[in-house]
Structures are given as C-alpha cells and as structure tokens.
C-alpha cells in the first residue's frame, strides 16, 4: 500500500525568498494541516489552520517586513523554513 509522503521526504518550496512584494508562496506535494509565521521574538504573526492549497500551492499576502520562521505542520510533524520579507 502506498502511504502518504511524510514531511521528511516532502518536496516543499517557499518563494520568492527573500520576498520584495510582501507575499510568499508555499509549494508542497503533501497535505499541510497548519502554517505558522513566527517572528524572531517567537510571536506568531500568522496562523493558518487547514490552509486551502490550489494546485499544491498556497500564497500568503500583505506580510509585514521582517525575518520569519515559517512552520509547516502535517500529521504531527513540522518543518521550519526561514523567510525574509523585504
């Protein structure tokens, strides 16, 4: 039986990074349950539960400038990507 790919083996890209237009797009070939954008002080700036991906991609807009950690969670696993909004 084929199992759903886990985050460990997932293909996930975040672009543009750094972003100059206050938005980033997440491409993922796995189902993402939750997206959190966390600033360097550890505050959650954006928390999206059950984001609706359109053809494997999800775009976040109107993001404030700064350096962030993007936490993508799926089935009790999570990975973190560093994101810069200029």
């Amino acid at each position: 039986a084929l199992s759903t790919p886990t985050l460990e083996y997932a293909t996930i890209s975040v672009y543009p990074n750094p972003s100059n237009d206050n938005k980033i797009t997440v491409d993922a070939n796995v189902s993402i349950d939750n997206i959190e954008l966390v600033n360097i002080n550890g505050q959650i700036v954006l928390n999206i539960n059950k984001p609706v991906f359109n053809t494997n991609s999800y775009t976040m807009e109107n993001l404030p400038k700064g350096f962030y950690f993007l936490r993508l969670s799926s089935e009790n696993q999570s990975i973190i990507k560093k994101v810069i909004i200029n």
Side-chain angles (χ1 to χ4, degrees), residues 2 5 12 15 17-18 25 35 38 40 47 55 60 63 65 70 73 78 80 84:
L2 285 175
I12 296 174
Y15 60 90
N17 190 12
T25 297
I35 297 176
V38 182
I40 53 173
N47 182 7
T55 26
M60 286 168 276
L63 300 175
K65 293 180 179 183
L70 189 67
S73 304
S78 67
I80 293 178
I84 296 170

Side-chain angles (χ1 to χ4, degrees), residues 27-38:
D27 272 5
N29 67 347
V30 291
S31 152
I32 301 292
D33 299 327
N34 183 266
I35 297 176
E36 278 180 347
L37 193 67
V38 182

Side-chain angles (χ1 to χ4, degrees), residues 45-86:
V45 178
L46 197 58
N47 182 7
I48 303 152
N49 201 28
K50 301 285 182 208
V52 178
F53 277 67
N54 183 11
T55 26
N56 288 355
S57 78
Y58 183 86
T59 301
M60 286 168 276
E61 301 185 9
N62 304 318
L63 300 175
K65 293 180 179 183
F67 180 94
Y68 299 99
F69 296 103
L70 189 67
R71 182 185 293 127
L72 305 165
S73 304
S74 173
E75 296 180 3
N76 301 323
Q77 296 179 305
S78 67
I79 60 164
I80 293 178
K81 302 265 188 187
K82 293 177 182 166
V83 178
I84 296 170
I85 310 290
N86 286 329

